[in-house]
PDB file of all heavy atoms in Angstrom:
ATOM      1  N   SER E 371    -122.243-102.667 -28.111  1.00 97.00           N
ATOM      2  CA  SER E 371    -122.492-102.358 -29.519  1.00 97.00           C
ATOM      3  C   SER E 371    -122.016-100.946 -29.855  1.00 97.00           C
ATOM      4  O   SER E 371    -121.386-100.721 -30.891  1.00 97.00           O
ATOM      5  CB  SER E 371    -123.974-102.545 -29.861  1.00 97.00           C
ATOM      6  OG  SER E 371    -124.792-102.015 -28.851  1.00 97.00           O
ATOM      7  N   ASN E 372    -122.274 -99.987 -28.973  1.00 98.00           N
ATOM      8  CA  ASN E 372    -121.794 -98.616 -29.231  1.00 98.00           C
ATOM      9  C   ASN E 372    -120.293 -98.586 -29.470  1.00 98.00           C
ATOM     10  O   ASN E 372    -119.813 -98.041 -30.457  1.00 98.00           O
ATOM     11  CB  ASN E 372    -122.102 -97.705 -28.030  1.00 98.00           C
ATOM     12  CG  ASN E 372    -123.426 -96.979 -28.183  1.00 98.00           C
ATOM     13  OD1 ASN E 372    -124.227 -97.291 -29.064  1.00 98.00           O
ATOM     14  ND2 ASN E 372    -123.668 -96.012 -27.325  1.00 98.00           N
ATOM     15  N   PHE E 373    -119.538 -99.183 -28.531  1.00 98.00           N
ATOM     16  CA  PHE E 373    -118.076 -99.098 -28.614  1.00 98.00           C
ATOM     17  C   PHE E 373    -117.556 -99.800 -29.877  1.00 98.00           C
ATOM     18  O   PHE E 373    -116.657 -99.302 -30.552  1.00 98.00           O
ATOM     19  CB  PHE E 373    -117.420 -99.707 -27.364  1.00 98.00           C
ATOM     20  CG  PHE E 373    -117.525 -98.846 -26.120  1.00 98.00           C
ATOM     21  CD1 PHE E 373    -118.182 -97.617 -26.143  1.00 98.00           C
ATOM     22  CD2 PHE E 373    -116.951 -99.265 -24.921  1.00 98.00           C
ATOM     23  CE1 PHE E 373    -118.273 -96.827 -24.987  1.00 98.00           C
ATOM     24  CE2 PHE E 373    -117.036 -98.480 -23.764  1.00 98.00           C
ATOM     25  CZ  PHE E 373    -117.704 -97.264 -23.794  1.00 98.00           C
ATOM     26  N   ILE E 374    -118.112-100.958 -30.191  1.00 98.00           N
ATOM     27  CA  ILE E 374    -117.612-101.700 -31.364  1.00 98.00           C
ATOM     28  C   ILE E 374    -117.916-100.927 -32.645  1.00 98.00           C
ATOM     29  O   ILE E 374    -117.050-100.758 -33.513  1.00 98.00           O
ATOM     30  CB  ILE E 374    -118.199-103.128 -31.414  1.00 98.00           C
ATOM     31  CG1 ILE E 374    -117.640-103.962 -30.257  1.00 98.00           C
ATOM     32  CG2 ILE E 374    -117.895-103.790 -32.756  1.00 98.00           C
ATOM     33  CD1 ILE E 374    -118.199-105.370 -30.159  1.00 98.00           C
ATOM     34  N   VAL E 375    -119.139-100.423 -32.756  1.00 98.00           N
ATOM     35  CA  VAL E 375    -119.521 -99.690 -33.974  1.00 98.00           C
ATOM     36  C   VAL E 375    -118.668 -98.427 -34.099  1.00 98.00           C
ATOM     37  O   VAL E 375    -118.145 -98.111 -35.171  1.00 98.00           O
ATOM     38  CB  VAL E 375    -121.040 -99.378 -33.959  1.00 98.00           C
ATOM     39  CG1 VAL E 375    -121.410 -98.418 -35.081  1.00 98.00           C
ATOM     40  CG2 VAL E 375    -121.848-100.665 -34.067  1.00 98.00           C
ATOM     41  N   GLN E 376    -118.499 -97.722 -32.984  1.00 98.00           N
ATOM     42  CA  GLN E 376    -117.669 -96.503 -33.018  1.00 98.00           C
ATOM     43  C   GLN E 376    -116.230 -96.839 -33.413  1.00 98.00           C
ATOM     44  O   GLN E 376    -115.624 -96.158 -34.252  1.00 98.00           O
ATOM     45  CB  GLN E 376    -117.696 -95.808 -31.646  1.00 98.00           C
ATOM     46  CG  GLN E 376    -119.046 -95.173 -31.321  1.00 98.00           C
ATOM     47  CD  GLN E 376    -119.219 -94.856 -29.830  1.00 98.00           C
ATOM     48  OE1 GLN E 376    -118.493 -95.361 -28.982  1.00 98.00           O
ATOM     49  NE2 GLN E 376    -120.206 -94.026 -29.524  1.00 98.00           N
ATOM     50  N   ALA E 377    -115.702 -97.911 -32.849  1.00 98.00           N
ATOM     51  CA  ALA E 377    -114.307 -98.280 -33.135  1.00 98.00           C
ATOM     52  C   ALA E 377    -114.143 -98.683 -34.598  1.00 98.00           C
ATOM     53  O   ALA E 377    -113.191 -98.272 -35.264  1.00 98.00           O
ATOM     54  CB  ALA E 377    -113.860 -99.422 -32.214  1.00 98.00           C
ATOM     55  N   LEU E 378    -115.091 -99.478 -35.104  1.00 97.00           N
ATOM     56  CA  LEU E 378    -114.971 -99.926 -36.498  1.00 97.00           C
ATOM     57  C   LEU E 378    -115.075 -98.752 -37.465  1.00 97.00           C
ATOM     58  O   LEU E 378    -114.527 -98.791 -38.557  1.00 97.00           O
ATOM     59  CB  LEU E 378    -116.042-100.978 -36.803  1.00 97.00           C
ATOM     60  CG  LEU E 378    -115.833-102.348 -36.147  1.00 97.00           C
ATOM     61  CD1 LEU E 378    -117.010-103.272 -36.429  1.00 97.00           C
ATOM     62  CD2 LEU E 378    -114.534-102.998 -36.631  1.00 97.00           C
ATOM     63  N   ARG E 379    -115.798 -97.717 -37.059  1.00 97.00           N
ATOM     64  CA  ARG E 379    -115.925 -96.540 -37.935  1.00 97.00           C
ATOM     65  C   ARG E 379    -114.864 -95.477 -37.636  1.00 97.00           C
ATOM     66  O   ARG E 379    -114.923 -94.387 -38.199  1.00 97.00           O
ATOM     67  CB  ARG E 379    -117.311 -95.919 -37.741  1.00 97.00           C
ATOM     68  CG  ARG E 379    -118.428 -96.776 -38.310  1.00 97.00           C
ATOM     69  CD  ARG E 379    -119.760 -96.105 -38.072  1.00 97.00           C
ATOM     70  NE  ARG E 379    -120.837 -96.752 -38.806  1.00 97.00           N
ATOM     71  CZ  ARG E 379    -122.109 -96.741 -38.442  1.00 97.00           C
ATOM     72  NH1 ARG E 379    -122.473 -96.082 -37.344  1.00 97.00           N
ATOM     73  NH2 ARG E 379    -123.021 -97.336 -39.163  1.00 97.00           N
ATOM     74  N   ASN E 380    -113.943 -95.818 -36.737  1.00 97.00           N
ATOM     75  CA  ASN E 380    -112.906 -94.865 -36.303  1.00 97.00           C
ATOM     76  C   ASN E 380    -113.515 -93.563 -35.790  1.00 97.00           C
ATOM     77  O   ASN E 380    -112.946 -92.484 -35.963  1.00 97.00           O
ATOM     78  CB  ASN E 380    -111.900 -94.593 -37.435  1.00 97.00           C
ATOM     79  CG  ASN E 380    -111.084 -95.828 -37.755  1.00 97.00           C
ATOM     80  OD1 ASN E 380    -110.533 -96.469 -36.854  1.00 97.00           O
ATOM     81  ND2 ASN E 380    -111.044 -96.200 -39.023  1.00 97.00           N
ATOM     82  N   GLU E 381    -114.681 -93.682 -35.187  1.00 98.00           N
ATOM     83  CA  GLU E 381    -115.326 -92.512 -34.579  1.00 98.00           C
ATOM     84  C   GLU E 381    -114.938 -92.440 -33.101  1.00 98.00           C
ATOM     85  O   GLU E 381    -114.431 -93.406 -32.528  1.00 98.00           O
ATOM     86  CB  GLU E 381    -116.853 -92.633 -34.685  1.00 98.00           C
ATOM     87  CG  GLU E 381    -117.359 -92.526 -36.119  1.00 98.00           C
ATOM     88  CD  GLU E 381    -118.839 -92.890 -36.229  1.00 98.00           C
ATOM     89  OE1 GLU E 381    -119.431 -93.340 -35.220  1.00 98.00           O
ATOM     90  OE2 GLU E 381    -119.385 -92.729 -37.336  1.00 98.00           O
TER      91      GLU E 381
END
Side-chain angles (χ1 to χ4, degrees):
S371 43
N372 267 12
F373 286 1
I374 292 177
V375 170
Q376 290 163 343
L378 289 175
R379 290 180 169 153
N380 293 311
E381 292 170 353

